[in-house]
Amino acid sequence: MIDKKWWQEEVIYQIYPRSFYDENGDGIGDIKGIIKKLDYLKELGITMIWICPIYKSPMVDNGYDISDYLGINKEFGTMNDLDQLLIKAEQLDIKVMLDLVINHTSDEHIWFQEGINNPDSPYRDYYIFKDSVDGKEPNNWRSIFGGSVWEKVPNEEKYYMHVFDKKQPDLNFENPKLRNEIYNMINTWLDKGLAGFRIDSITFLKKDQNFESLKSDGNDGLVTCKYKTRNQPGIEVFLNELKEKTFNKYDCITVGEAPGVRYDELSEFIGEDGYFSMIFDFKYADIDVESGSDWFKRTNWTTKEFKDLLFNSQNEIQKVGWGANFIENHDQPRAISKFITDESYQNFIGGSALALMYFFLRGTPFIYQGQELGMTNFQRQSINEFNDISSVDNYYRSIDEGFTEEEALQFVNLRSRDNTRTPFPWDNTKNGGFTNGTPWLSLTEYYPSTNALDEVNNTNSLFNFYKKMIEIRTFSKYKDILTFGTFQEVENVSENIISYYRQNNNEKLQVIINLSNQSNQINVEKNDFKVIMHNYEKVVNNNQIINLKPYEAILIEL
Ligand code: NOJ
């Protein structure tokens, strides 16, 4: 068990800068836009923001392809804008966390340019170059965004490796010089006064050095590269060194995007001397698909299965460290569309049930922009309407695997990362008040009825529900128990009820969620419980039996 840390008390709001607020009218959100909207975030009550990448980038993967780690991409503004943001945020008592992408760079990064154009350059060993085998790719690994992980080097019988897109070549962490450059870069940013980092794809740093082909798992003859590039033995050496040379010198927060970590390895990642403060656990977030990147492998999940995954995650994390709780991010569809299977409840009721369900779990809660408004997925009619590269890949892979174009489009509509990347609807005017220009990605069709201005002013909105939850977790007398109290599953309840206790020595709170469109009942320990929050007009009980309406959600003190 870890000691108390300041970052356990935070409520973190994730900003996708391209889509937050466009201050200069070019259709793309920017840093000045974030500055303008900090007051909105203060009103909501969050204590920290995480901004997705704003570094120089050709934007093939919307900033997760960095061409200069120490520069700001023009479309977002300047370093001066960022400095202004840090100042204003500090005045409002909001901490700022940036995204750190060190598994790969853009192919337009100067290191890669030097490395690919000159075989004798020391920068060639900053990346992974291999000889071709029988005139072909070195092996049959499939990249996360589709196609081979190998891209041919012009005029040479060599290939370079990319776990993600071909414009995102992987860095070679086996090279100590490269590692040192990365550490210096990280320390330069931390010296600027950042609160810390969300760390991208960090379990991909170590590659199996055999580079052997494996048995194919698809009609393309390839096999997912995850088996040999994700969380491989030896990664602990890199992650320990990374921590020692950078994060440990600062009192910063580090949130690892660390897919592929088994629960029996959690203490190495998030224990007292772990590599990170916390990591995201995707095991329950991806319940609707068999494997995170193959969207055509859909599942018929049940609430019971979801609850088991969620609670297992909480229990395993509680044994060793601290969690990062989320239901949405820029790689996931909207939570209401994913988890509320009855469309007639994809509204305030469904949104507030999910909110109460995850927000009071043990761990630091993350809110993704627009989640607090109850945004839902969109329906696009053609693959040409998508921006996200993995949507395009998944569409063609689905067809390759024998699905019709219609089915392929349906998978993409359900799962596309663009679902959460649509511009933020500030009000009901043209383009939802996001921009005066032409938005880089079209807004959801329903912004006239779901937007920030209306919700801030409506006391019964989801925005105000989130505001109340934040207030309770951060500023009320329940702060201590909701932050540091233990998590315990409430057992022997209906399969469709997700219920847990948060408790410390002398207090006990209970969260009750009926995650289904059927009425239900739950028996609680006392009949003189106090209702702290709920999402229907009133809680109906007969002594210790609470009658639950569809998707009813309640927080009580026992
Ligand atoms: C995970 C990020 O969240 C995602 O948006 C990105 O495409 C990949 N890593 C590659 O950096």
Side-chain angles (χ1 to χ4, degrees):
M1 193 56 118
I2 53 172
D3 292 338
K4 287 185 179 176
K5 304 277 176 10
W6 63 266
W7 32 258
Q8 296 174 322
E9 297 173 39
E10 305 297 319
V11 176
I12 303 178
Y13 188 92
Q14 182 189 351
I15 293 181
Y16 200 66
R18 281 207 125 194
S19 297
F20 196 53
Y21 182 65
D22 173 21
E23 207 265 345
N24 65 0
D26 64 357
I28 297 172
D30 41 45
I31 299 173
K32 282 195 171 131
I34 301 175
I35 297 178
K36 260 213 162 128
K37 297 297 182 184
L38 279 179
D39 291 329
Y40 165 83
L41 298 176
K42 189 69 192 168
E43 163 88 22
L44 179 59
I46 56 93
T47 61
M48 188 184 313
I49 52 175
W50 147 30
I51 310 175
C52 286
I54 47 171
Y55 315 98
K56 280 217 169 94
S57 163
M59 287 284 161
V60 167
D61 190 19
N62 287 349
Y64 286 94
D65 47 324
I66 297 172
S67 54
D68 176 2
Y69 281 113
L70 297 176
I72 301 294
N73 209 32
K74 264 210 198 91
E75 67 180 39
F76 293 130
T78 62
M79 193 60 88
N80 185 41
D81 294 342
L82 183 65
D83 291 337
Q84 295 306 315
L85 171 65
L86 293 177
I87 292 170
K88 171 99 193 269
E90 192 172 359
Q91 284 164 1
L92 292 175
D93 217 3
I94 293 177
K95 303 179 183 73
V96 180
M97 181 173 133
L98 292 184
D99 222 301
L100 182 66
V101 189
I102 56 175
N103 175 66
H104 45 270
T105 66
S106 161
D107 65 339
E108 295 180 30
H109 194 290
I110 180 83
W111 297 339
F112 188 76
Q113 284 302 311
E114 298 270 331
I116 194 162
N117 291 327
N118 176 4
D120 301 324
S121 159
Y123 290 107
R124 182 154 279 208
D125 195 45
Y126 275 32
Y127 295 87
I128 304 168
F129 284 86
K130 292 272 170 232
D131 292 336
S132 69
V133 173
D134 303 330
K136 289 204 272 250
E137 288 83 2
N139 64 30
N140 69 342
W141 300 353
R142 183 191 306 110
S143 78
I144 307 282
F145 291 154
S148 168
V149 296
W150 300 103
E151 183 68 15
K152 176 106 176 31
V153 179
N155 309 320
E156 285 184 59
E157 277 313 305
K158 286 199 181 277
Y159 288 78
Y160 72 84
M161 185 179 178
H162 58 90
V163 160
F164 295 92
D165 189 71
K166 65 176 183 214
K167 283 186 68 66
Q168 293 168 296
D170 279 56
L171 288 165
N172 177 20
F173 264 73
E174 307 291 334
N175 180 340
K177 259 180 106 180
L178 172 269
R179 297 205 299 275
N180 269 323
E181 295 235 32
I182 294 288
Y183 303 149
N184 289 339
M185 175 278 286
I186 294 174
N187 291 337
T188 305
W189 277 108
L190 287 172
D191 285 337
K192 243 178 158 3
L194 297 181
F197 291 109
R198 175 268 190 187
I199 306 164
D200 188 71
S201 307
I202 198 63
T203 33
F204 285 92
L205 281 198
K206 175 83 186 177
K207 277 81 182 171
D208 183 316
Q209 296 296 302
N210 272 335
F211 293 98
E212 279 170 358
S213 284
L214 298 174
K215 189 166 166 281
S216 159
D217 66 359
N219 290 347
D220 55 1
L222 304 177
V223 55
T224 175
C225 65
K226 287 178 194 164
Y227 300 130
K228 292 289 180 185
T229 58
R230 196 176 75 173
N231 204 17
Q232 295 298 299
I235 194 168
E236 64 282 1
V237 179
F238 294 158
L239 296 182
N240 269 323
E241 187 182 275
L242 170 66
K243 175 185 75 175
E244 267 150 36
K245 300 266 171 144
T246 62
F247 313 137
N248 264 9
K249 302 181 184 187
Y250 303 80
D251 183 18
C252 65
I253 178 175
T254 53
V255 186
E257 193 211 21
V261 175
R262 296 190 318 267
Y263 287 140
D264 63 9
E265 302 170 309
L266 266 184
S267 70
E268 291 148 48
F269 280 79
I270 56 167
E272 188 63 47
D273 291 319
Y275 316 129
F276 306 111
S277 315
M278 58 189 94
I279 61 173
F280 293 116
D281 184 359
F282 295 97
K283 294 185 183 65
Y284 55 92
D286 288 335
I287 190 159
D288 61 324
V289 282
E290 265 175 38
S291 129
S293 61
D294 287 336
W295 297 345
F296 52 83
K297 293 183 182 158
R298 297 207 55 86
T299 61
N300 277 324
W301 62 276
T302 62
T303 298
K304 164 90 173 66
E305 286 162 355
F306 176 67
K307 172 164 67 170
D308 289 348
L309 287 173
L310 182 68
F311 286 178
N312 191 24
S313 168
Q314 282 280 300
N315 284 323
E316 294 293 337
I317 291 171
Q318 179 160 253
K319 284 185 204 158
V320 297
W322 192 251
N325 297 322
F326 72 102
I327 50 171
E328 276 180 21
N329 65 34
H330 64 293
D331 293 331
Q332 293 278 333
R334 289 291 180 183
I336 294 182
S337 305
K338 181 166 61 181
F339 295 123
I340 306 296
T341 44
D342 181 337
E343 277 180 29
S344 48
Y345 292 96
Q346 291 182 346
N347 51 22
F348 170 81
I349 290 295
S352 53
L354 293 176
L356 205 67
M357 175 194 78
Y358 95 101
F359 198 82
F360 295 121
L361 290 168
R362 186 177 165 281
T364 299
F366 286 69
I367 301 170
Y368 179 78
Q369 68 182 44
Q371 179 187 321
E372 77 279 20
L373 304 179
M375 292 184 74
T376 53
N377 285 354
F378 53 61
Q379 279 291 325
R380 307 269 200 243
Q381 308 306 327
S382 145
I383 191 62
N384 300 328
E385 292 175 57
F386 291 86
N387 168 276
D388 163 32
I389 32 180
S390 71
S391 298
V392 177
D393 165 54
N394 267 278
Y395 178 77
Y396 289 108
R397 260 219 356 107
S398 306
I399 292 171
D400 216 29
E401 294 292 327
F403 294 97
T404 64
E405 285 180 14
E406 232 177 11
E407 287 166 328
L409 191 65
Q410 176 61 357
F411 298 137
V412 175
N413 266 320
L414 286 171
R415 258 277 157 176
S416 174
R417 308 193 300 173
D418 282 349
N419 277 308
T420 41
R421 298 177 178 186
T422 51
F424 191 94
W426 289 101
D427 55 39
N428 64 8
T429 63
K430 193 166 176 227
N431 297 324
F434 161 73
T435 179
N436 291 328
T438 309
W440 70 278
L441 183 69
S442 37
L443 276 87
T444 52
E445 52 283 8
Y446 53 78
Y447 75 81
S449 57
T450 303
N451 61 67
L453 186 64
D454 287 354
E455 294 212 21
V456 169
N457 293 331
N458 170 3
T459 44
N460 294 322
S461 66
L462 192 60
F463 174 92
N464 280 303
F465 192 85
Y466 267 91
K467 184 172 167 180
K468 189 163 176 201
M469 289 197 307
I470 297 171
E471 150 91 31
I472 289 174
R473 188 185 188 275
T474 316
F475 306 107
S476 81
K477 63 174 178 177
Y478 302 113
K479 173 178 178 160
D480 204 64
I481 182 169
L482 285 172
T483 310
F484 302 112
T486 55
F487 162 88
Q488 194 197 332
E489 168 174 4
V490 179
E491 290 175 50
N492 302 322
V493 296
S494 141
E495 299 204 321
N496 288 331
I497 294 179
I498 296 188
S499 185
Y500 57 91
Y501 300 120
R502 296 297 310 276
Q503 52 194 330
N504 55 25
N505 292 340
N506 36 33
E507 290 166 297
K508 190 168 185 179
L509 306 186
Q510 182 174 2
V511 170
I512 303 165
I513 314 294
N514 176 20
L515 199 68
S516 97
N517 60 0
Q518 305 294 310
S519 300
N520 220 325
Q521 283 191 334
I522 187 169
N523 214 325
V524 295
E525 283 171 8
K526 288 182 178 170
N527 55 13
D528 61 342
F529 57 83
K530 179 177 169 207
V531 177
I532 305 171
M533 270 194 87
H534 65 286
N535 68 344
Y536 276 87
E537 226 149 79
K538 68 179 207 284
V539 173
V540 179
N541 71 307
N542 186 353
N543 295 318
Q544 284 164 248
I545 297 176
I546 303 181
N547 294 315
L548 298 166
K549 295 180 206 63
Y551 295 102
E552 184 157 357
I554 315 172
L555 170 65
I556 56 175
E557 181 176 6
L558 289 164

